[in-house]
Amino acid sequence: MDSRDSSSAPDRDCSAGDDDGGLPVTAALAKEASLHFQSRKFADCVDVLNQLKVKKEGDPKVLHNIAIAEFFRDGCSDPKKLLEVLNNVKKRFEELAHASGAQVESGSSSGNKLTPDSKGSGTTIQQLSSDSASIIYTGEFDTSVASLNMAVIWFHLHEYSKALSILEPLYQNIEPIDETTALHICLLLLDVLLACLDASESADVLNYLEKAFGIGNVNQGDNGNTATHQSTNLVGKSSSVPSSPFVSDASNSDLAASVNASENPLSRTLSEDRLDEMFSTLDIGGQNLARPSGLASANDHPRITVDRSISGVDLKLKLQLYKVRFLLLTRNLKLAKREVKHAMNIARGRDSSMALLLKAQLEYTRGNHRKAIKLLMASSNRTDAAISSMFNNNLGCIYYKLGKYHTSAVFFSKALGICSSLQKEKPLKLLTFSQDKSLLITYNCGLQYLACGKPILAARCFQKACLIFYKRPLLWLRLAECCIMAVEKGLVKGSQSPSDRSEIRVNVIGKGRWRKLLIEYGISGNGHVDSVEKNDWALGCDEQPKLSLPLARQCLYNALHLLNCSDWSNSKSVLPSSLSLEESESNDGLSSKNPIHKKLPGINSMASTMLSGLVNSNGDLKEPKGGANLEIVQNSVSYYEDIRRRENQMIKQAILANLAYVELELDNPLKALPAALSLLELPGCSRIYIFLGHVYAAEALCLLNKPKEAAEHLAIYLSGDNNIELPFSQEDFEQWRVVKPVDCEEPNGGAAAAKNPSHEGLQESTFLKPEEARGMLYANLAAVSAIQGDLERAHHFVTQSLSLVPNSSEATMTAIYVDLMLGKSQEALSKLKHCSHVRFLPSSLQLNKSS
Amino acid sequence: MGKKMLNLEEQCKILNLLKSSSEQKSIEETVTDFFTNSKLRHFNVCYSLSLLLQDKMMLSSTERLVAFAILHRSYSSQKSAANPFISFLVNAACDDGAEKYERAFILQLLSSSNSNSSKEFLKQSASDYIKNFDPSSQNFPQREQLQKQYYEKVHPEPYSCLLQNTAVKNLLADPDVPCGCDANSAEDEALSGLIANLSLEGLIPHWIRPVPPRFPVDEELVWLNPDNSHELQWDQGMCADTSRGAAVRDLIAKALKGALAPNQQEQVLVELANDPKLVYHCGLTPRKLPELVENNPLIAVEVLTKLINSPEIAEYFTVLVNMDMSLHSMEVVNRLTTAVELPKEFVRMYITNCISSCENIKDKYMQNRLVRLVCVFLQSLIRNRIIDVKDLFIEVQAFCIEFSRIREAAGLFRLLKTLE
């Protein structure tokens, strides 16, 4: 201890100053600076701090406050620089702490070696404590405020994972941190976790906040709770008077302690009569001491709010709003409804705009779009530009869900416009950075463009949003969809327009007796043909991605990889067997290119250790107080995880289907086949995707010269010998769309969303109707039969197919093929002449001209 | 447009070649002329010719001979089995519907690759060959024999897509009979048109490949709520008065070495109560706990109670369990049990240690004292329902029986019996 004191430099300075009567000077300066800071006179504040800096050279806390004050003085213009300065301050803290702590540490460890413990466990303890000592520094080396400020900046810059990496260690060691800072840490952490959609850890922090700050327990009078603690605190403060010397020991367990304390202090020496005294103490204690039931709360260790900037009610409202946000995140809508009502009650007579906004979000989520619009209108003062931008964005969301994509486009672009004007605004506030939601709005824009069939614009949006969403599998799936759509629409270099694609071109050559028809069809232009002949007309702008099928493939592998990572971390219960295939698949395509790859496991493992640590320190979870609350929260979390799992399954189906398709388009049946097969293996796969899986697998097999196996995939839909069933029904579409069971307790919720027409509309038209799918199966079965040489069967199937999908040029081509193979060239000719997709071209005469 | 098999130059070349076949030039010469142009893509040219040859009406008899010669000579430097058109040639040689001279010509071509001598027949022009052809001079071997002779041990066909293999020629005759008067000029036109438009692909059965549907948008749209305004924090700890904390640290350091005076003890407790965080930097570490327990058990209780939520509390407990048994450690544990909820495992281990300490102690007097102490301690725990007797019943019972000579042990035994 002594050595530590003498070596702690700032402390030394301070006490030295004390002797000279200098302490009041620094303390007074500190107070003055703080007052300037609070009244936002930052220039004055910096002046005072600079005086202080002279007196306390190298004191990291002074340096820290200077950095903060200068940042504000300079108009918050350079948050990255502040981060750098704060990082240096932190290093300075650590140097000092190390310089003073090192001696203690080394002394202790050598002491440990010299006097080995009687029990072996001593060494491990030593190790543990020294480990943790290297993480937390307390007292004058306390870096928690500096760390918090760094996290605040990262948060405002939307760098959530960086903020998390700072906040999580702080939260793990929250106890030694003073109340105000601890509260700020918890609130910030909660915001970050909610932004990261991390339900389980949000739940944890929420629970901790409610327990530690004694607010938010509905089942127990909150006021009573805080009041008692204030009173005990008062007792503690005024305890210079009390008759018994150990009253202060009563802070947590008045009853027990008062009984004990009324006894004489025991056992100074082990004399016989003292021992008897102890016996009697214990006996008396034993008889009188029924364990007070409220005692469990001692473990909760409620904190008293010291922060005057947040009043009790404000904090209560704040926590209530967090709770609503948490419930909305976990889609526990029924509870969210109840809690938002509660929030409205608390907010009565105060600013209720946030509560209203959450209520609007609730109604939006429940599919009550009209109500949501109404609430949204009521919630915001649209004079504030930042709020107004969010307001427009939210309206855009609602109109999108109503199927009015063009209206939603108007709102989204309005929201973006406000955002960009906001950034030009001076003076900047730190909040300005976080209020810049343009990337999020841009993502919404991307979805809207995709819905309107504008893949290039959509891709540009998704590419921008990539900066914050790069860890979301869905983003990569959307980018792949953009590529596929662009290629499909012929908007990409080398791709054909849909009409070109389905066109059968017939060159008419010669005249009279010599007239010949030369049929050309389905020559896709993606491959290895000399590219000189192609005209580069599609993409002009340099900065945007060149949408292509190889890019789609890359995106899909990214998505798959991210999905497998999250599967792995979210629930170990997911069968790894089904993943192994894609894992190996994705590795070869991805490992070199993907920077995300390495970051993920670290974060996850940290999260899990953190979680386990919390369970330990919280101890028993079945305390009577707050138990119901905890249970609700836990249920929400597990419910949410269930939803996420299902959602991930759906995403995975989509990814694999797209992957199989893209590989086929890229003439790569060898890779398309495993994608299609693992799609078929997915548990709970939608019938629509099962259909696609079979069709893709069959085609891949056919291309790999395995027509028999290909036929088996299609034969699944055969009933009897020659009849094909509908591969899926209209209801499958409904099921597939309304993934959400919407409300865990409210059965009507699902129905409400189902009858809501918003989901349908454009999307439906982009995919096959069940009858068309059936026609398609006939056509493909005909193709397989033809390849196998069973021309009669092929003829039957293709006839069926043409009756279901008469406009399919592929089916027509197969029919012509079959006719030709059967030697019925006249029938082939007549089919050709009656097909709507045929274009007859006069033979080119260029040769004659040139020769 | 689709891929054309021939570029313009190749098209011209072929047309010229075919026209020149009717001239009085030897076949050899015609063929050599043709091959002087190295830019030709042999396969494409040959494939085009083979397509034209398949249509028996398209080419004149002399043109056909030259075309066959080219098909053969293009690959004559290699073994006949390596000629991609070998099966086409063999089939043509065996085609009963074809002219005899043509079949004979092909047979001669095929056999010419074996010996140099028999190349004489190429020295005449195509028309002369036909004119001079003597059907009796040639015998026509069976297809199987030819196959055996020229296919050799051909590797099984190299990989190619089955769909392509099953392709049918994408050329359909669609004669427009009524106006078929101007035959010859139309033929020329058809020929050049064909040559210009031939493509490698034939007709194949077509697969319908559905485009996967777009993933539905559910909770994907981002709804925006204003953020909470997290402001940068001023460090209030700057130049804070640390003297009181220092005083407590000094006192704790003293408390490790000996009992504090009552007023010092009070000062520590008051300061700890005033600043709930002080306990985290009062200088105590788990390793130092035993000294504090021995010298100032009440302060130890207070400190541990305040540290109950600390991440380090488990280490403190471990130290407490493992330190030597004494009145003071027992007092600390006893008070802790009433103040906070201790981990069950910790209490259990502590009791087990108590009992084994009693058994191991050598000094009879000290043993008696320790046993009495443990008994009172256990009774207290049982009465306060800190422990569930069932968990430790056998262990405690054995302990009572072993030390039944001691009054307190007998008392504990009776207590156990009443609970049974």
Side-chain angles (χ1 to χ4, degrees):
Chain A
M1 274 316 297
D2 291 337
S3 65
R4 178 194 168 116
D5 269 354
S6 62
S7 67
S8 64
D11 202 35
R12 209 42 279 193
D13 284 354
C14 203
S15 51
D18 196 7
D19 294 341
D20 307 340
L23 173 67
V25 177
T26 52
L29 282 174
K31 197 175 174 195
E32 196 187 342
S34 166
L35 285 176
H36 280 311
F37 185 80
Q38 272 155 29
S39 50
R40 308 189 75 76
K41 292 178 192 154
F42 299 114
D44 296 343
C45 182
V46 172
D47 284 345
V48 177
L49 285 172
N50 280 329
Q51 292 174 39
L52 205 52
K53 190 174 157 193
V54 177
K55 294 199 186 299
K56 302 198 68 168
E57 210 174 330
D59 181 339
K61 296 210 174 191
V62 176
L63 295 176
H64 169 269
N65 283 346
I66 287 177
I68 301 289
E70 282 182 341
F71 178 71
F72 279 117
R73 186 195 62 190
D74 301 341
C76 306
S77 51
D78 196 350
K80 296 262 176 173
K81 188 184 146 205
L82 178 58
L83 274 173
E84 212 172 285
V85 176
L86 288 182
N87 207 23
N88 288 336
V89 167
K90 249 175 110 172
K91 272 188 201 139
R92 170 91 187 126
F93 268 119
E94 275 153 27
E95 278 165 24
L96 288 177
H98 200 71
S100 68
Q103 293 175 343
V104 177
E105 208 101 316
S106 62
S108 70
S109 62
S110 64
N112 194 31
K113 273 176 210 153
L114 288 173
T115 55
D117 268 353
S118 49
K119 318 287 187 298
S121 59
T123 49
T124 57
I125 290 166
Q126 197 53 47
Q127 206 136 18
L128 278 172
S129 66
S130 66
D131 272 358
S132 59
S134 67
I135 299 167
I136 29 164
Y137 302 104
T138 50
E140 60 266 46
F141 309 122
D142 177 18
T143 58
S144 58
V145 177
S147 302
L148 169 64
N149 281 334
M150 290 176 77
V152 165
I153 299 167
W154 285 127
F155 169 76
H156 284 298
L157 296 177
H158 301 280
E159 295 272 11
Y160 298 128
S161 58
K162 283 183 178 144
L164 265 189
S165 68
I166 296 174
L167 288 171
E168 288 191 326
L170 284 177
Y171 180 66
Q172 274 176 282
N173 267 307
I174 196 86
E175 285 302 327
I177 298 170
D178 80 89
E179 310 300 342
T180 314
T181 314
L183 179 62
H184 284 299
I185 289 171
C186 289
L187 293 180
L188 181 62
L189 179 58
L190 197 46
D191 264 317
V192 173
L193 289 172
L194 286 173
C196 296
L197 312 180
D198 189 331
S200 68
E201 289 198 31
S202 308
D204 203 82
V205 179
L206 203 55
N207 272 330
Y208 177 77
L209 270 172
E210 291 192 345
K211 264 201 262 175
F213 294 91
I215 296 172
N217 286 312
V218 193
N219 49 357
Q220 195 171 326
D222 325 331
N223 294 336
N225 201 359
T226 44
T228 51
H229 287 291
Q230 265 154 14
S231 69
T232 55
N233 202 26
L234 280 178
V235 171
K237 270 177 188 153
S238 59
S239 63
S240 51
V241 199
S243 50
S244 158
F246 295 117
V247 165
S248 56
D249 150 328
S251 62
N252 281 313
S253 56
D254 316 43
L255 193 57
S258 62
V259 173
N260 282 343
S262 63
E263 304 304 318
N264 288 326
L266 298 162
S267 61
R268 196 135 303 163
T269 52
L270 255 178
S271 76
E272 198 61 62
D273 39 343
R274 288 278 180 191
L275 187 63
D276 285 336
E277 228 167 84
M278 154 129 190
F279 295 157
S280 60
T281 312
L282 288 172
D283 274 336
I284 292 166
Q287 270 140 24
N288 297 357
L289 270 178
R291 199 148 182 261
S293 60
L295 252 182
S297 68
N299 277 18
D300 299 345
H301 214 291
R303 290 160 174 266
I304 302 103
T305 328
V306 193
D307 191 3
R308 280 167 199 86
S309 67
I310 306 175
S311 79
V313 184
D314 280 348
L315 181 58
K316 195 171 161 185
L317 176 58
K318 218 170 201 172
L319 286 183
Q320 186 65 25
L321 292 174
Y322 274 115
K323 200 168 176 180
V324 175
R325 281 171 62 194
F326 165 77
L327 291 170
L328 281 173
L329 168 69
T330 57
R331 297 175 212 175
N332 191 339
L333 300 184
K334 191 180 180 186
L335 260 183
K337 198 179 169 191
R338 201 179 81 191
E339 295 296 327
V340 83
K341 213 175 260 174
H342 193 62
M344 295 291 287
N345 284 337
I346 301 172
R348 191 163 289 152
R350 291 161 185 276
D351 178 21
S352 63
S353 64
M354 189 62 195
L356 274 169
L357 206 57
L358 288 176
K359 210 171 167 187
Q361 187 184 2
L362 171 69
E363 295 302 338
Y364 161 77
T365 314
R366 299 172 81 211
N368 299 330
H369 297 131
R370 233 156 265 290
K371 209 168 169 186
I373 294 176
K374 234 174 173 177
L375 285 164
L376 206 54
M377 295 291 198
S379 73
S380 54
N381 65 334
R382 264 153 281 159
T383 49
D384 183 309
I387 304 279
S388 161
S389 139
M390 296 180 202
F391 168 82
N392 278 300
N393 171 73
N394 294 347
L395 270 184
C397 293
I398 297 174
Y399 278 103
Y400 182 100
K401 285 284 182 125
L402 285 169
K404 300 186 170 151
Y405 302 117
H406 293 286
T407 319
S408 83
V410 172
F411 283 115
F412 285 143
S413 63
K414 209 165 155 192
L416 274 179
I418 299 171
C419 266
S420 64
S421 69
L422 202 65
Q423 276 158 289
K424 289 172 198 136
E425 202 174 80
K426 299 267 175 179
L428 288 165
K429 287 183 291 176
L430 190 54
L431 204 57
T432 319
F433 293 101
S434 63
Q435 276 175 339
D436 178 17
K437 306 281 191 191
S438 51
L439 289 179
L440 298 167
I441 304 169
T442 304
Y443 187 82
N444 287 346
C445 273
L447 286 177
Q448 171 260 319
Y449 279 130
L450 201 57
C452 294
K454 297 175 180 164
I456 293 177
L457 289 175
R460 203 185 296 174
C461 290
F462 290 133
Q463 200 197 15
K464 279 183 195 158
C466 212
L467 282 174
I468 46 175
F469 281 153
Y470 63 94
K471 276 188 193 166
R472 289 198 189 171
L474 210 45
L475 172 97
W476 296 104
L477 174 59
R478 292 296 181 202
L479 265 175
E481 286 179 347
C482 291
C483 293
I484 292 172
M485 186 189 276
V487 171
E488 192 192 342
K489 290 195 162 212
L491 302 174
V492 170
K493 180 179 159 185
S495 74
Q496 297 165 309
S497 73
S499 61
D500 278 353
R501 266 195 159 205
S502 62
E503 191 177 68
I504 303 169
R505 287 171 305 280
V506 177
N507 290 299
V508 185
I509 298 164
K511 279 187 205 143
R513 202 154 69 84
W514 302 99
R515 190 164 78 178
K516 304 275 179 189
L517 300 181
L518 191 89
I519 307 168
E520 284 178 10
Y521 177 72
I523 298 144
S524 52
N526 47 41
H528 17 267
V529 212
D530 19 329
S531 53
V532 201
E533 289 169 12
K534 284 182 216 150
N535 35 357
D536 306 350
W537 50 272
L539 292 175
C541 192
D542 298 334
E543 58 182 26
Q544 61 195 42
K546 292 215 163 162
L547 300 188
S548 66
L549 289 174
L551 179 65
R553 170 164 59 188
Q554 189 63 49
C555 291
L556 290 170
Y557 278 130
N558 281 0
L560 200 59
H561 183 76
L562 288 170
L563 207 58
N564 287 341
C565 284
S566 73
D567 272 358
W568 195 241
S569 69
N570 279 351
S571 57
K572 310 272 192 248
S573 66
V574 169
L575 295 171
S577 68
S578 66
L579 304 179
S580 57
L581 183 70
E582 299 102 58
E583 200 94 75
S584 60
E585 269 281 292
S586 60
N587 278 348
D588 58 347
L590 198 71
S591 51
S592 58
K593 275 203 173 180
N594 199 345
I596 308 149
H597 179 78
K598 279 162 202 142
K599 289 185 192 166
L600 275 171
I603 289 172
N604 290 334
S605 67
M606 186 170 74
S608 67
T609 55
M610 178 182 167
L611 211 65
S612 64
L614 283 168
V615 170
N616 285 342
S617 68
N618 279 353
D620 231 350
L621 287 183
K622 4 165 223 206
E623 289 152 35
K625 179 189 137 194
N629 221 354
L630 194 64
E631 201 176 327
I632 288 167
V633 170
Q634 287 306 332
N635 283 347
S636 294
V637 169
S638 60
Y639 170 68
Y640 175 65
E641 278 168 358
D642 211 45
I643 289 181
R644 285 292 289 269
R645 208 169 301 134
R646 221 169 324 164
E647 220 168 44
N648 281 350
Q649 273 174 10
M650 283 198 31
I651 295 175
K652 195 164 201 172
Q653 293 171 27
I655 292 172
L656 289 174
N658 278 292
L659 197 56
Y661 173 80
V662 167
E663 295 289 9
L664 283 175
E665 287 281 303
L666 289 171
D667 295 329
N668 207 350
L670 213 55
K671 287 207 161 179
L673 183 62
L677 291 180
S678 38
L679 171 62
L680 290 172
E681 277 170 16
L682 287 184
C685 197
S686 149
R687 285 178 74 194
I688 298 168
Y689 280 118
I690 289 180
F691 161 74
L692 288 176
H694 283 305
V695 171
Y696 295 152
E699 184 176 355
L701 283 167
C702 206
L703 290 167
L704 293 170
N705 290 352
K706 293 176 179 171
K708 222 178 133 208
E709 288 171 51
E712 279 165 16
H713 273 284
L714 300 177
I716 287 167
Y717 295 105
L718 273 178
S719 77
D721 227 12
N722 293 323
N723 204 13
I724 285 181
E725 297 163 339
L726 286 180
F728 50 84
S729 62
Q730 204 57 43
E731 289 89 73
D732 288 310
F733 275 101
E734 313 300 342
Q735 266 181 14
W736 177 53
R737 265 180 213 123
V738 190
V739 239
K740 308 289 111 49
V742 180
D743 221 339
C744 50
E745 283 124 343
E746 201 169 290
N748 320 353
K755 71 171 177 255
N756 182 348
S758 67
H759 293 293
E760 280 116 74
L762 266 190
Q763 286 214 327
E764 182 147 19
S765 64
T766 61
F767 196 63
L768 303 166
K769 295 192 174 50
E771 274 299 324
E772 292 173 326
R774 188 158 158 246
M776 184 173 284
L777 282 172
Y778 271 123
N780 290 349
L781 210 49
V784 170
S785 304
I787 288 163
Q788 287 176 297
D790 190 347
L791 294 171
E792 288 305 323
R793 206 146 180 255
H795 186 73
H796 163 79
F797 285 136
V798 83
T799 315
Q800 292 286 326
S801 171
L802 280 175
S803 72
L804 288 166
V805 282
N807 282 326
S808 161
S809 46
E810 289 99 340
T812 309
M813 286 306 294
T814 304
I816 290 171
Y817 173 86
V818 172
D819 282 342
L820 287 178
M821 290 297 277
L822 289 170
K824 302 176 184 168
S825 58
Q826 281 313 307
E827 286 178 33
L829 268 178
S830 87
K831 282 207 179 76
L832 199 58
K833 285 173 179 171
H834 289 108
C835 174
S836 58
H837 288 292
V838 168
R839 188 150 59 114
F840 289 94
L841 307 163
S843 84
S844 67
L845 296 173
Q846 47 173 327
L847 193 59
N848 288 350
K849 277 175 212 151
S850 66
S851 60
Chain B
M1 295 300 290
K3 284 173 279 182
K4 291 284 168 282
M5 193 155 32
L6 302 174
N7 61 31
L8 206 56
E9 192 190 347
E10 287 160 344
Q11 291 170 24
C12 296
K13 199 83 184 160
I14 289 185
L15 273 183
N16 290 336
L17 164 84
L18 294 174
K19 271 180 204 146
S20 66
S21 70
S22 53
E23 293 162 17
Q24 284 303 318
K25 229 173 164 189
S26 77
I27 298 173
E28 177 92 66
E29 220 174 324
T30 317
V31 171
T32 319
D33 269 4
F34 185 74
F35 284 123
T36 48
N37 189 335
S38 58
K39 276 189 201 158
L40 291 176
R41 293 171 297 174
H42 286 190
F43 181 80
N44 289 29
V45 167
C46 292
Y47 189 65
S48 306
L49 289 175
S50 76
L51 286 178
L52 293 173
L53 285 168
Q54 277 173 48
D55 189 328
K56 292 192 174 135
M57 305 216 330
M58 218 56 236
L59 298 178
S60 69
S61 50
T62 52
E63 286 168 345
R64 289 179 70 84
L65 291 193
V66 172
F68 277 119
I70 285 178
L71 279 190
H72 182 256
R73 288 296 299 277
S74 292
Y75 298 91
S76 59
S77 57
Q78 303 155 45
K79 279 184 185 168
S80 63
N83 187 333
F85 298 98
I86 188 69
S87 60
F88 177 76
L89 290 172
V90 168
N91 282 343
C94 306
D95 184 0
D96 291 330
E99 296 288 347
K100 285 251 161 74
Y101 59 82
E102 187 175 301
R103 296 174 61 191
F105 181 72
I106 297 169
L107 285 171
Q108 276 181 304
L109 274 177
L110 288 172
S111 61
S112 70
S113 39
N114 297 336
S115 56
N116 298 328
S117 58
S118 55
K119 276 196 181 153
E120 283 303 309
F121 71 100
L122 292 175
K123 298 257 157 77
Q124 49 193 327
S125 72
S127 48
D128 284 345
Y129 181 86
I130 296 169
K131 228 187 292 164
N132 302 337
F133 177 70
D134 173 16
S136 59
S137 70
Q138 183 76 37
N139 65 327
F140 297 99
Q142 289 297 301
R143 184 189 297 261
E144 288 73 28
Q145 188 190 333
L146 285 178
Q147 283 175 348
K148 204 181 282 173
Q149 189 173 350
Y150 296 111
Y151 288 10
E152 284 183 356
K153 303 142 205 134
V154 196
H155 309 284
E157 290 219 21
Y159 173 82
S160 71
C161 176
L162 192 64
L163 276 177
Q164 305 295 335
N165 287 349
T166 51
V168 75
K169 196 157 59 107
N170 61 344
L171 197 60
L172 269 178
D174 183 26
D176 193 8
V177 186
C179 59
C181 39
D182 189 9
N184 275 337
S185 72
E187 185 185 345
D188 275 358
E189 196 186 311
L191 183 61
S192 58
L194 268 183
I195 290 172
N197 285 296
L198 283 175
S199 69
L200 276 170
E201 279 102 357
L203 282 192
I204 50 173
H206 270 273
W207 203 273
I208 306 186
R209 184 186 297 160
V211 182
R214 244 174 336 107
F215 193 70
V217 174
D218 255 308
E219 300 291 316
E220 200 181 346
L221 289 165
V222 189
W223 179 277
L224 294 178
N225 291 319
D227 285 311
N228 291 301
S229 57
H230 293 283
E231 287 290 350
L232 293 171
Q233 296 296 310
W234 179 265
D235 194 336
Q236 301 286 355
M238 179 179 69
C239 303
D241 178 9
T242 52
S243 59
R244 289 207 300 187
V248 168
R249 276 206 298 274
D250 285 346
L251 284 176
I252 293 280
K254 270 186 200 143
L256 297 177
K257 298 191 178 96
L260 293 182
N263 66 325
Q264 288 175 319
Q265 232 182 82
E266 191 193 332
Q267 194 192 344
V268 171
L269 297 182
V270 167
E271 293 292 350
L272 284 180
N274 278 346
D275 180 355
K277 299 303 164 193
L278 187 56
V279 70
Y280 292 99
H281 27 103
C282 65
L284 189 68
T285 62
R287 200 181 60 88
K288 294 174 185 164
L289 183 67
E291 296 160 45
L292 186 65
V293 168
E294 282 311 321
N295 292 305
N296 292 280
L298 281 179
I299 291 181
V301 169
E302 188 60 23
V303 167
L304 288 177
T305 310
K306 287 188 178 305
L307 282 173
I308 196 71
N309 284 325
S310 147
E312 283 185 314
I313 191 68
E315 295 164 39
Y316 281 106
F317 283 153
T318 319
V319 172
L320 198 54
V321 163
N322 289 319
M323 68 181 278
D324 291 334
M325 284 307 142
S326 71
L327 171 62
H328 284 181
S329 97
M330 249 178 271
E331 187 178 359
V332 167
V333 174
N334 189 45
R335 278 177 185 260
L336 274 179
T337 58
T338 57
V340 293
E341 188 160 345
L342 294 174
K344 285 216 158 44
E345 198 46 37
F346 163 71
V347 178
R348 226 195 116 104
M349 254 169 85
Y350 189 79
I351 292 170
T352 312
N353 272 9
C354 282
I355 291 174
S356 65
S357 295
C358 288
E359 287 160 354
N360 293 338
I361 211 162
K362 294 281 176 285
D363 184 330
K364 264 278 182 264
Y365 172 72
M366 292 303 284
Q367 189 182 48
N368 277 2
R369 259 174 35 143
L370 199 59
V371 170
R372 288 168 69 192
L373 210 51
V374 170
C375 289
V376 175
F377 174 64
L378 283 174
Q379 282 188 28
S380 168
L381 291 183
I382 292 168
R383 291 207 174 119
N384 288 334
R385 297 199 178 78
I386 303 298
I387 53 167
D388 191 349
V389 194
K390 274 178 238 150
D391 294 343
L392 287 161
F393 192 81
I394 296 172
E395 215 173 337
V396 174
Q397 202 178 35
F399 170 74
C400 289
I401 291 167
E402 183 176 355
F403 297 103
S404 55
R405 61 193 154 85
I406 296 167
R407 185 162 50 94
E408 283 79 8
L412 179 60
F413 192 73
R414 275 197 298 280
L415 181 63
L416 284 179
K417 284 293 155 195
T418 60
L419 292 172
E420 221 173 347

